[in-house]
Structures are given as structure tokens and as C-alpha cells.
Amino acid sequence: MDEIIKTIDALVAQCDALENMEQEAVEELLGSLQECFIDLLGAEPKKAKKEAHKRWKGKLKALNDAVSKAEAREEQLYDARHPLLKHYCQLMEQPHSDREWVKLKKEIDQWLSQASPETAEEFDMLGYKDMLEEYCRGLDMEEEPEGPASLEQYSPIPYFMKYLPLIYKVDELWENFQLYIQSAFPDKEENFFAFQRSDEAMAIWAKAIADMGGGIPPSIFASAVFLILRYRELGHDLDRELAELA
């Protein structure tokens, strides 16, 4: 068991650098942690050997914690790589009326047209593209949603601009938003406005959008909307918290 524990200690130590790891490195580390978890389970000492069993139990907990951290980082990177994918997959699993399916298909088609080819391929591989086509087969796709606000439903930009102050205020939202920003602009200098957490930088977003997006990839806006929606799903009242910032 000593060799297993030595390996575990080395892997657990690597978890201190998880925040700086990219997808491939995290997946490799997670695979090694999971293999060690299985090996450690098979090396459980007899309970009569109290000290050895206590040590084994402590290492099992440390390993389990490390696996959880690596899985959380993997999920974070996956969400950053495929913004809004989880949100739409969840919507696909919910029941909808015919009218709602038509609206959802239009919304998803718009999202996929702005998403990366990799994200579109992932949505297809998960089987949701075929599922959506099947649900909407024979439905009147020309039916338009009611109400003048429907246009906002198909563009993430109005939603992005409305809740941008929350992204700048809430640490969790800001830090995750920076993952998307830094991935989209790897060659920008530190003084690039999107890296700055200031009122002046936030104001530049409105100017950039007015200038036809200012060359900002559409996926950035979709990514931010995904973060906001996930924040709401955690129980936050977006409008109330936004009003409190005023």
C-alpha cells in the first residue's frame, strides 16, 4: 500500500495547480486519480490493524476530495469550451408544447449558428439534434412567438447587456467570464478592456456592441448568458440583485 499512497500524495499535490490546467491535462490527472481510487479500495487493510486502517481511510478521503476537485475543474472547462450547451441539453430533456418546441428549435438553431463547430458537433453527438428534428417534424415552423420582445430571445446580446453589471460585481461570474474572454483573446495585452474589472471597461462593451460587435466573437455573449442562467438556477434573483447595484 505504501507505493499506492506515494502515488496518491503526488497526484493530490498536482491538484493545487488545477486552476492553471487545461482540459487535456485535467482529464489525464482525473484518470490517474480514478485509477488510484480503485487500487486503494482493493488495498484496504483489515480493521483490526487500527493504525493502518486509519491511515488508509484518511488517504481514501483525500483522494475522493481530489477527484471531486478535478471533476469540478473539468466541468468548468467543458462549460467554457461549450457555452450554453448544458443549458440547451437540459431544456431538451423537459416536456414542451408544440408551440414551445418550435420556439426552442429556432432558438437552438440561432445558438448553433453562432457557436463553434466543435460545440455544434458535441450537441449532435449527444443525440439532441436528431431528437429536436424528430420533435419538430410536421410542426408549422413559420409560427412566430407573440410579443415584441421575442427578438431578444434569439440574440444573447440584450440579455448580456442587461446583466453585465452583475458579471462585473459577482466574483464567481467575473472569474468564470474571464475564462471565456482569455480563451477568445489569447494574444491581447493585459490592458485590453475585456480583462479590466472597472466601470470604464464595462462602458466600452456598449460601444463595442453599437459598433456591430466590435469584432467580438458572438460566442462571448452566449457564454456570458450561460453563466447568468446558471447563476439564476442556483437560486439567485437576477433582477433583485441587479436593482441592489443601482
Side-chain angles (χ1 to χ4, degrees):
M1 189 172 73
D2 288 342
E3 282 300 317
I4 297 176
I5 289 177
K6 184 178 179 181
T7 301
I8 290 171
D9 288 343
L11 292 173
V12 169
Q14 290 183 40
C15 289
D16 291 338
L18 271 173
E19 289 302 316
N20 299 319
M21 290 186 186
E22 296 301 328
Q23 186 92 24
E24 187 176 345
V26 173
E27 289 175 353
E28 183 178 347
L29 175 58
L30 182 57
S32 298
L33 288 167
Q34 290 169 335
E35 287 179 11
C36 280
F37 194 86
I38 295 172
D39 292 341
L40 189 61
L41 286 176
E44 180 180 3
K46 293 181 179 180
K47 292 183 179 179
K49 298 181 178 180
K50 294 183 179 180
E51 288 301 320
H53 196 273
K54 182 179 179 180
R55 183 186 181 204
W56 173 86
K57 193 172 182 179
K59 292 300 177 182
L60 190 66
K61 182 182 184 305
L63 188 55
N64 186 58
D65 291 344
V67 168
S68 297
K69 289 179 182 178
E71 288 177 338
R73 175 59 175 168
E74 182 183 45
E75 182 178 359
Q76 182 185 47
L77 289 169
Y78 184 84
D79 289 344
R81 195 173 183 179
H82 304 292
L84 284 177
L85 178 61
K86 184 185 296 183
H87 170 68
Y88 284 117
C89 288
Q90 290 173 344
L91 287 180
M92 286 295 301
E93 296 294 340
Q94 299 172 11
H96 302 286
S97 66
D98 288 352
R99 184 182 182 87
E100 289 170 339
W101 277 117
V102 170
K103 291 167 63 177
L104 181 59
K105 186 177 189 307
K106 290 182 178 182
E107 186 175 342
I108 288 178
D109 286 346
Q110 177 69 18
W111 162 62
L112 289 176
S113 71
Q114 298 177 341
S116 68
E118 185 184 13
T119 297
E121 182 179 357
E122 185 77 4
F123 186 77
D124 190 8
M125 288 178 61
L126 291 171
Y128 288 114
K129 184 177 180 181
D130 289 341
M131 186 188 300
L132 188 61
E133 293 293 337
E134 184 62 30
Y135 284 150
C136 293
R137 193 182 304 279
L139 299 182
D140 182 7
M141 298 306 296
E142 296 304 315
E143 182 180 10
E144 292 292 336
E146 297 178 356
S150 62
L151 289 176
E152 293 189 5
Q153 182 179 1
Y154 304 113
S155 172
I157 293 179
Y159 207 81
F160 169 81
M161 285 306 303
K162 179 178 180 180
Y163 294 109
L164 185 60
L166 273 185
I167 292 176
Y168 268 68
K169 178 66 176 180
V170 179
D171 290 341
E172 175 189 349
L173 293 175
W174 171 258
E175 290 166 4
N176 285 311
F177 183 53
Q178 284 302 298
L179 285 175
Y180 299 131
I181 292 295
Q182 291 169 15
S183 176
F185 302 105
D187 299 326
K188 294 293 185 181
E189 299 293 334
E190 290 184 2
N191 60 354
F192 182 53
F193 84 93
F195 298 158
Q196 307 303 312
R197 196 176 185 181
S198 65
D199 292 340
E200 293 78 9
M202 187 164 54
I204 294 176
W205 281 104
K207 296 179 182 178
I209 289 171
D211 187 26
M212 301 298 290
I216 299 170
S219 62
I220 288 294
F221 305 117
S223 303
V225 170
F226 167 75
L227 292 175
I228 287 291
L229 292 173
R230 186 171 63 178
Y231 186 68
R232 184 183 66 185
E233 289 171 0
L234 293 173
H236 294 274
D237 186 328
L238 300 181
D239 292 329
R240 180 183 61 77
E241 293 188 20
L242 189 63
E244 289 175 353
L245 296 179

